[in-house]
Amino acid sequence: NRTVLLYPFPGPIITKEGWERYFLPISQNCTSYGRPEKWGPDHAQHQVVRIDSHRAAPTPGLEEWEGVPPPWVQAPSSVESPMAWWVGHIVQYIYRLQPGMAEHVRAAKENIGFVEPIPGMQVRRTDKKRETEYVPVEAYMPSIERYYSNQKKGAVKRVYLATDEPAVVTELQTKYPDYTFLTDSATVSAASNFTQNSRFSSENHLGIITDIQLLLSCEFVVCTLSSNIGRLV
């Protein structure tokens, strides 16, 4: 039963400005600590331990976690995936935007004409090819088409599209000309450059956080679980 803190090391994923440039601090009280020891068999002997990977620590069931109030252990018993329910609540708390970041998201919505309700789509490309085959855009559209078939006749068919490949935007616009795909061209262009330095730049961090926030505002999202963004949303 430990307080979770983010270890602010400079690296390719966490920028020098730190987590708190975009998100509120996880804790208002525990803000400093001494040298953390790496998680291991003797972790109970150390006041502060560092977990470098999600594989480094055990993942017990909720009922095994000391300090979790009984209502929180019992509440997800009726859902299909209790651990997903639990992690969702934790992420929702961690993922609280700084006022400046929230304003950036609001402005992004206004700039592209994002109006709810609207379905969303997240299409991952670029270096995802190293892990799995691309899913064709045609596989994403049936759920979108079913949604609009149940809407009022003459409704504008708008879709929020988050992708890291500019060609996906063009392909969807060409194959589905009766749909309006809302996207931020600057974010897509920046995300398509997957070199180490550019992919983890501040510009791309702003883009990916904005994409996630807009996807979360959608009526539903069509995505793949091979994408980290898809699983998060």
Side-chain angles (χ1 to χ4, degrees):
N1 185 25
R2 297 176 181 269
T3 299
V4 175
L5 296 170
L6 288 175
Y7 186 53
F9 62 91
I13 297 178
I14 300 179
T15 64
K16 292 180 180 179
E17 295 89 345
W19 173 270
E20 292 176 16
R21 175 183 179 185
Y22 311 106
F23 303 101
L24 294 174
I26 292 180
S27 173
Q28 297 290 344
N29 299 317
C30 299
T31 57
S32 62
Y33 46 87
R35 179 178 179 273
E37 299 292 338
K38 189 173 182 179
W39 178 283
D42 61 344
H43 67 87
Q45 301 176 22
H46 306 297
Q47 184 178 16
V48 182
V49 293
R50 185 182 78 246
I51 300 177
D52 294 323
S53 167
H54 67 283
R55 300 182 183 87
T59 54
L62 294 181
E63 68 282 353
E64 300 176 55
W65 286 4
E66 298 179 5
V68 178
W72 281 85
V73 175
Q74 299 162 4
S77 61
S78 61
V79 301
E80 183 176 349
S81 180
M83 187 56 72
W85 179 91
W86 175 255
V87 171
H89 278 279
I90 294 175
V91 172
Q92 185 180 36
Y93 173 78
I94 292 175
Y95 201 82
R96 296 167 302 142
L97 301 181
Q98 288 279 10
M101 187 68 229
E103 173 59 24
H104 179 89
V105 172
R106 187 206 62 76
K109 285 184 175 182
E110 183 177 301
N111 290 339
I112 66 173
F114 186 101
V115 179
E116 301 175 48
I118 183 175
M121 179 189 301
Q122 193 251 344
V123 183
R124 180 75 160 82
R125 287 290 190 265
T126 59
D127 59 334
K128 179 57 64 175
K129 187 73 171 180
R130 301 171 184 172
E131 302 173 15
T132 185
E133 292 298 317
Y134 290 159
V135 176
V137 296
E138 291 82 357
Y140 293 81
M141 288 302 295
S143 296
I144 305 290
E145 292 172 320
R146 282 194 299 271
Y147 172 79
Y148 277 110
S149 69
N150 294 320
Q151 301 304 305
K152 187 182 298 185
K153 187 175 181 180
V156 178
K157 299 178 179 179
R158 298 171 302 109
V159 181
Y160 178 67
L161 172 62
T163 183
D164 56 354
E165 177 52 71
V168 167
V169 182
T170 303
E171 182 180 5
L172 283 166
Q173 290 172 335
T174 301
K175 292 181 175 179
Y176 302 93
D178 53 333
Y179 284 81
T180 299
F181 294 93
L182 305 182
T183 191
D184 186 323
S185 58
T187 296
V188 176
S189 177
S192 66
N193 187 350
F194 56 89
T195 63
Q196 184 79 347
N197 290 333
S198 61
R199 173 57 64 89
F200 300 120
S201 66
S202 297
E203 179 184 14
N204 267 307
H205 284 166
L206 287 171
I208 197 169
I209 293 170
T210 302
D211 270 345
I212 291 170
Q213 285 297 123
L214 268 61
L215 288 171
L216 289 173
S217 299
C218 290
E219 192 79 351
F220 65 91
V221 176
V222 184
C223 59
T224 59
L225 294 182
S226 61
S227 166
N228 290 325
I229 300 305
R231 291 197 300 273
L232 176 61
V233 172

